[in-house]
Amino acid sequence: MSRIGIIGTDGLALDLLTVLDDTLGTHYPSLATQEREDVIVTDDPWQATAAGLKACAVDEWVATTTASDFFAITEGNGKARQALSEIVKSSAARPLAMIHPTTEVRGNKWQDMGAVIGQYSFFCDVESIGQHFMCGAFTIFGPGTRVGNFVTAGHRVVCEANVIVEDNVTIEQSAVIAAGTAGTPLRIGTGATIKAGTFVTADVPAGALVAAPRKEHES
Amino acid sequence: MIVLGILGTGIAARTAMHTATHSLQLAHPGTDDEGFQVVFVSQKPGTSTLGGHDIMSAAEFCALEAETKYFNPAIADSRHRKQAATLMLHQGVSPLSLSDPSTLILPDVTMEPGWLLPYLNTLNSNVRIGKYFHAGVSTTVSHHNEIGDYVTFGHRVACSGNAIIEDHVTICTGAMVMQGKPDKPTRIGEGAVIHANAIVIGDVVPGAHMAGNPAKPVDPIQLFGGEPW
């Protein structure tokens, strides 16, 4: 019997758990049919119990996993996700992509390494997606986009085309990254944060914080 | 052989490619997938294939021997789209509208041919749309809208009820047009550009560039050092 460990208790994780059978049926047909046990891996078991699931501490999970187990990290903070991935790296379990069944991946089939993706997202000819990528619902990633490791994208984020999103970048809800060209892609530097609703039209340096100007309304 | 030439090799063309087979089957029900050929038509030299389809020049495409030939101008710039479509019509090639199976079109929608609806587009009732309408992913056109010719929508554009969108208008990603009244619809003038994530709450004069919430006229040269594309 294989176990599936959902590490973290993010809202998106709980959404995806409700459709876990369909998610596995779409992307892991062999896993969907066999007997399995779903556990929430967290050091705060209250949340898991609230969702009616079996909880398991992180240390216990690392110690007891076997090669037939899978895990997905659903922690919204990129840095925390990276830290968790370092901890569970020593265990025998393999990363599992939790891609909502309504998400559409067209053209180039990128190799998913533990991606967690919400409903109705759209990936068209995306070149690559890094480790433990996490994104919300209704996101759109266009042709020629390359996404690094531990990248987080909120709901309704759009990366139009030919965008390079480097490691540990956070893009908040409704932000739009304009299209680059194939020769000169638009680059979002390592560790940068794009605040909600921002329209990014130029390269962003590493570690920068980009926000739309916030103004008071004249009534 | 039934041939579809997708004009352009850019982002729009790569998105359009995935809706081609479905749209060809709608036009020719019962034909095998082997009976269709999809090619890209481009003036720019470069690689010879894209996504497994050949790239040819307009002259090569026009000279191609085929039972039926279609084109779809998958070019985001509305002026270039008009030029390319006019050229193909002169050569006797007919337009094919491309839409995805996920497209939701409610009753009483009138559309001129040549549209491109790539994924999850919703067209509400009582909508009139002009020729070569070009939408992004997950756009909404609400009730009692009148959309002119060569109009371009980015991804996630939402157009509320009672709006008139004139010819050659471009609405960029995530922008919204708020509703007008039945006796006084919101009017977006010809050739206007609504920038990404802008929210338009009133009429827009022809040719204006609008940005922000609520949207105000901006100078594109100051904002982007030129046109944003």
Side-chain angles (χ1 to χ4, degrees), chain A residues 102 104 106-107 120-122 124-125 138 140 143-144 156-158 160-162 174-176 179-180 197-199 201 217-218, chain B residues 10-11 14-15 17-19 100-102 118-120 137-138 155-156 172-174 176 195-197 213-214 216 223-224:
Chain A
T102 55
E104 184 94 357
R106 289 192 180 167
Y120 291 108
S121 292
F122 182 76
C124 181
D125 273 328
F138 298 100
I140 300 165
R156 294 162 60 82
V157 161
V158 177
E160 286 184 346
N162 299 316
S174 291
V176 176
T198 311
F199 177 30
T201 54
H217 284 273
E218 313 142 15
Chain B
I11 304 151
R14 287 173 74 172
T15 318
M17 175 177 83
H18 300 289
T19 59
D100 192 74
S102 63
Y119 184 61
L120 274 186
V137 172
S138 131
H155 302 309
R156 246 178 53 201
C172 300
T173 304
M176 291 178 204
H195 287 279
N197 279 355
N213 174 17
K216 295 204 174 83
L223 256 184
F224 305 110

Side-chain angles (χ1 to χ4, degrees), chain B residues 113-133:
Chain B
W115 68 78
L116 168 59
L117 299 168
Y119 184 61
L120 274 186
N121 303 93
T122 306
L123 306 177
N124 230 313
S125 305
N126 303 87
V127 167
R128 270 204 309 235
I129 295 180
K131 56 193 175 188
Y132 305 107
F133 174 61

